[in-house]
Amino acid sequence: MEAILILLFVIGYLSITLEHPLKLDKTVPALLMASLMWALLAIGFHKGWFSVIDGYGTVFNINSTDIHQQEHGFEGLLLHHVGKVAEILIFLIGAMTIVELIDLHRGFDVLKDMVKTKSKIRLLWITGIVGFILSAVIDNLTATIVLISLLRKLVQNREERIWYASLIVIAANAGGAWSPIGDVTTTMLWIAKKVTAGGLSEYIIVPAILCFIVPFALASRMKVFKGEIEVDEKSHEDRERLLSSKTMLWLGLGAIVFVPIFKTLTHLPPYVGMMLSLAVVWMVSEYIHPEDNFDKSRKHLYSANKALSRIEISSILFFLGILMAVAALESLVFGSINGQEVGTLRFAAESISNAIPSMDVVVILLGILSAVIDNVPLVAASMGMYTYEIDHSIWHFIAYSAGTGGSMLIIGSAAGVAAMGMEKIDFIWYLKKITWLAFAGFITGAMAFLFIEHYIR
């Protein structure tokens, strides 16, 4: 029966990776996989076919003497995993709503209006630096969307624009890797208390900067970035600026940045701080006047309710499905190590460690693999496989590798998929033109991380 449960995960995972050929939203197989795996886990547990284990190493088996206590243990295990997943989802919903509120009030247009240059190389570095910093604050996916929207106003030639868009993906993924709110995977590690906000930034900032700078330095020498571009000055007037644009931009960004500070001050989980930040931004949006002679009949155009309707619920449900599926694998007792029963993922971790003794090599391979396979389940699996203490260097290296490795393929990250959809970037074109640049940045940052870890700290 254990094999059937693992097979369900493999089939579901393949269905997710083959989303485009199957023409099936990846949320569907993720939810099917999670629900069927937990159904099989429940049936098998109550039939006495296998045992389950919680995060503290307590094993529950229905064949034990106290059946009621064992059943209660299984229910508690399920509720525990639902609670941990809910923490991540609530955090993401809050962050996404704040970002959408900023966008409704055209706050990001303030950033767009700051970029005025005709030099191709200067534009490359400006957009890269903004993408690197912005992704650490609002997340790499949103930063990519904002900057590609900016490029559409500044670069009229699509053949040139896709070069900029592709390099923005690299910058955004690098920027998101050193921030607890910059990428879904770093948020997962932070909420699960594998890393702290300060530790993540301290250990990964230098490798992340190198991961960003190296590809941009190499690209700066290419012919495509030589010369000047024609800037259409009228493009900045496409949409009228709102009275609330600046206020909502800085308030929204400040509210998101406040979340790690709130956690440090109160020691409460990050989602509580995000709830507070969302409430404040929401409250301000209710009273602020976006336009002169603002009519209440237009209030709904800038309301939090509209922002909520614009967030990607399918992405939230995908995270729910994939994280609960991984939790099912983590909970299933598969074997024993040194006489102690362990879950499937922990058993797999020991097997990999025996095959590849160097964890550094394992994590680098994980980064490369994240370009092919979604990094969310990879990181979720690693969280169940390893038991290192908080802020251990392995967790930081996993955050770096999973966050930046996806840049090597256009489909390897949420930022890449967004850029691909917005600019219709061809997979093969990206593989030929950009992959080597992304790999150069990734491996340089990885080597820098290992050098700092083994020879400086």
Side-chain angles (χ1 to χ4, degrees):
M1 290 302 295
E2 289 92 341
I4 296 176
L5 193 140
I6 295 171
L7 182 63
L8 273 175
F9 183 80
V10 172
I11 293 172
Y13 207 104
L14 286 173
S15 300
I16 290 169
T17 59
L18 297 173
E19 174 186 18
H20 296 293
L22 293 175
K23 294 181 172 58
L24 181 67
D25 191 297
K26 63 183 178 182
T27 304
V28 177
L31 292 175
L32 279 171
M33 174 174 60
S35 54
L36 290 176
M37 287 178 69
W38 274 99
L40 182 61
L41 197 64
I43 293 170
F45 173 79
H46 287 96
K47 293 288 185 180
W49 295 336
F50 42 65
S51 306
V52 295
I53 185 170
D54 65 11
Y56 302 100
T58 305
V59 176
F60 301 99
N61 188 297
I62 202 70
N63 295 322
S64 299
T65 52
D66 192 342
I67 295 177
H68 178 74
Q69 182 181 2
Q70 301 304 309
E71 289 182 339
H72 183 70
F74 181 87
E75 293 172 0
L77 176 67
L78 176 58
L79 287 174
H80 168 77
H81 284 298
V82 170
K84 300 308 290 183
V85 172
E87 287 188 19
I88 297 173
L89 301 189
I90 292 171
F91 182 94
L92 291 175
I93 290 171
M96 293 166 98
T97 305
I98 291 174
V99 168
E100 290 296 341
L101 268 171
I102 296 173
D103 193 48
L104 282 176
H105 288 262
R106 303 176 194 171
F108 293 119
D109 284 5
V110 176
L111 297 179
K112 293 175 186 178
D113 292 343
M114 292 179 181
V115 182
K116 294 179 180 179
T117 181
K118 291 185 178 181
S119 169
K120 289 183 178 179
I121 289 181
R122 192 174 300 164
L123 178 63
L124 173 67
W125 282 98
I126 289 173
T127 54
I129 292 170
V130 171
F132 183 84
I133 297 173
L134 196 60
S135 64
V137 179
I138 62 173
D139 80 58
N140 47 15
L141 172 60
T142 308
T144 300
I145 294 171
V146 169
L147 286 170
I148 291 179
S149 299
L150 163 64
L151 285 174
R152 286 178 170 176
K153 292 186 174 185
L154 299 178
V155 183
Q156 304 303 316
N157 188 322
R158 180 188 170 276
E159 297 303 317
E160 293 180 354
R161 194 166 64 241
I162 60 175
W163 278 93
Y164 287 98
S166 300
L167 283 157
I168 282 172
V169 170
I170 296 175
N173 285 336
W178 64 273
S179 165
I181 52 179
D183 186 271
V184 174
T185 53
T186 57
T187 299
M188 288 164 53
L189 289 166
W190 182 45
I191 290 176
K193 296 182 180 179
K194 303 299 184 184
V195 298
T196 61
L200 191 69
S201 302
E202 178 187 352
Y203 281 81
I204 301 181
I205 183 65
V206 172
I209 290 173
L210 288 173
C211 182
F212 151 60
I213 287 179
V214 168
F216 274 68
L218 292 171
S220 296
R221 304 177 67 86
M222 293 181 174
K223 186 177 179 180
V224 69
F225 293 111
K226 300 297 181 184
E228 297 186 343
I229 57 173
E230 291 296 328
V231 179
D232 184 2
E233 299 296 337
K234 293 182 179 179
S235 65
H236 293 280
E237 301 173 4
D238 289 344
R239 293 202 303 178
E240 183 184 353
R241 284 274 296 277
L242 299 175
L243 298 176
S244 57
S245 295
K246 283 188 177 180
T247 302
M248 293 303 294
L249 172 67
W250 302 121
L251 175 66
L253 296 183
I256 295 174
V257 172
F258 171 72
V259 175
I261 300 172
F262 179 86
K263 181 183 185 300
T264 303
L265 293 174
T266 65
H267 302 288
L268 287 169
Y271 73 91
V272 180
M274 185 56 75
M275 288 166 58
L276 174 61
S277 292
L278 175 60
V280 171
V281 177
W282 190 330
M283 179 176 65
V284 172
S285 72
E286 291 290 312
Y287 293 106
I288 200 167
H289 284 195
E291 304 164 336
D292 289 319
N293 303 318
F294 184 59
D295 189 345
K296 288 186 178 180
S297 64
R298 292 177 54 80
K299 186 176 180 179
H300 69 282
L301 297 175
Y302 309 103
S303 69
N305 288 324
K306 182 167 184 178
L308 283 165
S309 70
R310 289 173 44 160
I311 66 174
E312 292 187 32
I313 295 298
S314 62
S315 296
I316 298 296
L317 292 175
F318 167 72
F319 297 139
L320 170 64
I322 198 70
L323 293 174
M324 286 304 294
V326 170
L329 274 186
E330 184 182 343
S331 302
L332 172 67
V333 172
F334 189 80
S336 60
I337 298 173
N338 299 326
Q340 182 181 359
E341 290 183 300
V342 294
T344 306
L345 297 180
R346 178 71 190 284
F347 189 85
E350 292 295 330
S351 301
I352 293 171
S353 297
N354 292 333
I356 309 174
S358 172
M359 272 302 298
D360 294 336
V361 175
V362 171
V363 177
I364 289 174
L365 291 175
L366 182 146
I368 295 172
L369 191 61
S370 70
V372 181
I373 301 173
D374 195 285
N375 58 3
V376 171
L378 281 178
V379 173
S382 70
M383 287 163 57
M385 291 166 71
Y386 305 113
T387 56
Y388 299 104
E389 69 273 12
I390 188 171
D391 268 340
H392 191 282
S393 61
I394 290 298
W395 293 125
H396 296 134
F397 201 20
I398 287 173
Y400 168 81
S401 295
T404 61
S407 300
M408 285 183 273
L409 291 179
I410 191 65
I411 61 170
S413 65
V417 172
M420 185 183 190
M422 293 179 73
E423 290 297 335
K424 303 296 184 288
I425 299 173
D426 183 69
F427 177 88
I428 301 300
W429 179 90
Y430 190 96
L431 184 66
K432 290 179 178 178
K433 306 289 187 180
I434 306 297
T435 294
W436 73 276
L437 291 170
F439 177 77
F442 168 77
I443 203 67
T444 302
M447 293 302 103
F449 180 93
L450 295 176
F451 177 79
I452 293 170
E453 179 60 32
H454 294 303
Y455 296 103
I456 296 180
R457 296 189 186 278

